[in-house]
Amino acid sequence: MRLLERMRKEWFMIGIVLAIAGAKLEPSIGVNGGPLKPEITVSYIAVATIFFNSGLSLKTEELTSALVHVRLHLFIQIFTLAFFPATIWLFLQLLSITPINEWLLKGLQTVGCMPPPVSSAVILTKAVGGNEMKERK
């Protein structure tokens, strides 16, 4: 009985381990053009499902109270999508005069411009019992 409770609590991590094990045992299922069609399912369906599911779990009161914090949302968007990429760009300008491989610098620039994976953060926060919509007082 205790094992079953633990498995219910850790369902997400167990699912990840099973998915990785399944991919290791039969990788042909997940290749482009394979039965799962990851070029479609991962790119469109999975992402949309994650955001839709996350939106359904929001309480209306929490959503309306979060909308009030416009300045906080603006700060987060500007920091994530403008300040951080600009800082990375400046840092890469300094690194470009060093003998570091040009392709490594291009990769760092690409990663520096990407927003954080919000969907996975929401899922992991929920999995550990956290409140992803904490209200500020």
Side-chain angles (χ1 to χ4, degrees):
M1 186 78 155
R2 185 122 169 98
L3 177 64
L4 190 58
E5 287 176 24
R6 183 70 175 185
M7 288 176 67
R8 281 190 185 139
K9 184 178 179 189
E10 302 293 339
W11 66 269
F12 187 70
M13 290 309 235
I14 292 170
I16 289 174
V17 169
L18 290 175
I20 292 171
K24 178 73 174 161
L25 293 172
E26 194 57 50
S28 63
I29 292 174
V31 298
N32 280 350
L36 290 181
K37 302 276 188 227
E39 61 274 8
I40 297 169
T41 55
V42 173
S43 299
Y44 303 107
I45 298 170
V47 173
T49 302
I50 289 169
F51 278 102
F52 182 71
N53 188 34
S54 178
L56 287 177
S57 67
L58 293 174
K59 293 180 179 150
T60 309
E61 301 85 30
E62 290 178 349
L63 185 59
T64 53
S65 71
L67 289 174
V68 176
H69 304 294
V70 175
R71 286 186 2 195
L72 174 64
H73 294 296
L74 279 174
F75 170 76
I76 291 170
Q77 295 299 318
I78 290 169
F79 184 83
T80 303
L81 301 173
F83 176 77
F84 191 74
T87 305
I88 292 294
W89 182 81
L90 286 172
F91 180 63
L92 291 174
Q93 296 307 307
L94 291 173
L95 287 178
S96 67
I97 59 175
T98 66
I100 294 178
N101 186 306
E102 174 189 358
W103 287 102
L104 178 61
L105 295 176
K106 287 180 181 183
L108 287 172
Q109 183 176 12
T110 302
V111 171
C113 292
M114 294 169 56
V118 175
S119 57
S120 57
V122 169
I123 290 172
L124 291 171
T125 301
K126 285 182 180 181
V128 297
N131 181 0
E132 74 281 359
M133 289 288 294
K134 284 239 186 227
E135 182 177 312
R136 289 171 37 112
K137 301 250 177 176

